[in-house]
Amino acid sequence: MDVGNGVLGHRVLSISVAAKSAETQSAVEHATDRFDTDKKSHERRVNVRDGKRIDGRTSGSAFGELRALEYGDASYNQTSIGMSGLKAEVFVRQGPWLIKVTYGGDNRTGTRYPSGDETRAAAGKVAELITAEMTKSADKVKLTGPCGVVTAEQIESAFFPAADGPSVSTSDGSVKQTTCTWSVKEVVKHRPGQEFTTRGGQLDIRVVGWGDGDTGSTFQFDRDAKKYDRYHDKGGLTDDRLHIDYEPRQELSGLGEKAFVVVSSTTKRYDKSAPPMMEILIKVLVGNRTVEATFRGTTTGGGLVDAAGYRAPFFESAVAQPALTKVAKTFLGGLK
């Protein structure tokens, strides 16, 4: 696009607003701890001071010094140059909220990068607006929308402790989408120095509103069913880095109007020693929407490495499918 003064380039704006609380830590306490931890991490990655690199390298991403700002309870920004161009990141703590605004890009004509002043000013202006809005919402954090339907406790009862999340992403274009993501990881009791492994992975629930018409939810559901059948029949998908195998798709009853489940395994062609990454997907047709519940990770094994009968964590469909089905039923039961 024309980014100004006849210069062609691209710009990307990303906004993240998050809050988290637990029985042992309020959302404000969590925000304070996380903000301080992240700030130390961002300080450690500084490799440019006074316009000169201090890491002895001539390539790789360059991160500038942190600059204090006056938004919210605490804030700062950091500018960097990397593969995606020049960008400015603004980090704000406002009550229980952690706010991150990223803005930047590069140019196709004229100078290669936008100026640091331009990106910092744009990111700062957005951060100021977001912070002002979140100041109005400083009470106890309450999750609304589809991602508030299922609790972490319900996920833990289907899988295993502990579930963390959800993080939420939305798209409000012509096709409305909401994706809810939880980290599900077993807690292994151990003494200092004991070696252990944990089963777990990532759980995603994605709701897509397709609207009416010939290309609505039923069309999209049936198209995906045929797609997975085709992938299985032709022996999976492959490129120079990955190979994905798909087990035969299975129809499911008791979920929405129609539903199916499919299991896939992804192998790294460039790392023969790495175990396949396993994923199970349940797709459901519900009115003019489709719902996808996906778990990627391991379901069995893990624990203290020296314990009798120990097995490294692995994926077992007989465990994953009932757990994911239980979560899907709970979610669909509360979906409005």
Side-chain angles (χ1 to χ4, degrees):
M1 65 179 181
D2 186 337
V3 295
N5 299 319
V7 175
L8 299 180
H10 85 279
R11 299 291 184 268
V12 176
L13 173 66
S14 171
I15 303 170
S16 170
V17 181
K20 176 184 176 181
S21 63
E23 291 184 2
T24 59
Q25 190 179 49
S26 69
V28 173
E29 291 170 334
H30 174 267
T32 301
D33 289 349
R34 181 61 183 269
F35 182 88
D36 292 342
T37 299
D38 287 349
K39 187 175 182 180
K40 292 177 183 177
S41 175
H42 297 151
E43 181 65 51
R44 285 194 297 270
R45 69 184 183 182
V46 171
N47 57 7
V48 175
R49 296 188 186 277
D50 298 324
K52 298 180 180 179
R53 293 195 71 134
I54 59 175
D55 57 1
R57 301 178 61 187
T58 58
S59 62
S61 296
F63 293 91
E65 299 175 77
L66 275 57
R67 299 187 181 191
L69 300 174
E70 296 182 354
Y71 309 134
D73 298 325
S75 56
Y76 62 92
N77 69 18
Q78 185 174 41
T79 308
S80 64
I81 298 178
M83 294 293 290
S84 59
L86 185 146
K87 66 181 180 181
E89 294 178 303
V90 177
F91 303 89
V92 183
R93 174 173 60 80
Q94 172 58 52
W97 303 104
L98 289 170
I99 302 166
K100 177 182 176 182
V101 175
T102 304
Y103 177 77
D106 62 16
N107 298 328
R108 299 291 183 263
T109 61
T111 57
R112 181 176 178 182
Y113 300 116
S115 72
D117 289 341
E118 173 196 331
T119 54
R120 282 189 290 270
K125 185 178 295 185
V126 175
E128 184 177 14
L129 293 171
I130 297 296
T131 303
E133 284 300 313
M134 303 321 294
T135 302
K136 304 174 186 177
S137 305
D139 297 332
K140 184 177 179 181
V141 178
K142 183 178 181 181
L143 192 63
T144 59
C147 297
V149 170
V150 178
T151 66
E153 290 76 13
Q154 289 170 321
I155 294 172
E156 290 175 351
S157 69
F159 285 89
F160 32 78
D164 183 23
S167 61
V168 182
S169 64
T170 61
S171 173
D172 291 328
S174 58
V175 177
K176 297 184 181 299
Q177 304 181 50
T178 300
T179 302
C180 323
T181 301
W182 293 264
S183 172
V184 187
K185 192 173 184 180
E186 182 183 33
V187 176
V188 177
K189 294 182 179 179
H190 63 283
R191 295 191 301 273
Q194 281 188 304
E195 186 179 359
F196 66 95
T197 60
T198 59
R199 57 181 175 164
Q202 179 175 304
L203 170 68
D204 294 294
I205 298 181
R206 178 170 172 255
V207 183
V208 183
W210 295 101
D212 301 320
D214 294 338
T215 59
S217 57
T218 301
F219 171 84
Q220 301 294 339
F221 179 91
D222 292 340
R223 186 176 69 170
D224 269 5
K226 294 175 183 177
K227 175 184 72 176
Y228 288 116
D229 290 343
R230 186 169 65 252
Y231 290 167
H232 169 71
D233 291 342
K234 74 175 189 176
L237 300 176
T238 190
D239 60 21
D240 293 339
R241 295 176 56 82
L242 304 173
H243 178 78
I244 309 175
D245 276 319
Y246 293 87
E247 295 183 8
R249 184 179 60 89
Q250 303 291 329
E251 303 285 348
L252 292 178
S253 60
L255 292 175
E257 298 165 36
K258 293 193 290 186
F260 65 78
V261 58
V262 63
V263 175
S264 63
S265 63
T266 301
T267 303
K268 297 177 181 178
R269 294 170 63 88
Y270 57 89
D271 186 357
K272 302 295 184 182
S273 63
M277 188 277 292
M278 303 298 299
E279 178 178 290
I280 180 170
L281 162 72
I282 291 177
K283 184 155 188 142
V284 186
L285 174 64
V286 188
N288 63 359
R289 293 179 289 186
T290 57
V291 176
E292 293 181 359
T294 307
F295 176 77
R296 182 184 303 111
T298 55
T299 62
T300 307
L304 299 176
V305 174
D306 294 333
Y310 167 81
R311 291 188 65 181
F314 62 97
F315 177 88
E316 189 174 11
S317 293
V319 175
Q321 184 168 330
L324 191 59
T325 301
K326 182 177 180 179
V327 172
K329 284 184 176 179
T330 301
F331 183 84
L332 293 169
L335 189 62
K336 296 180 180 179

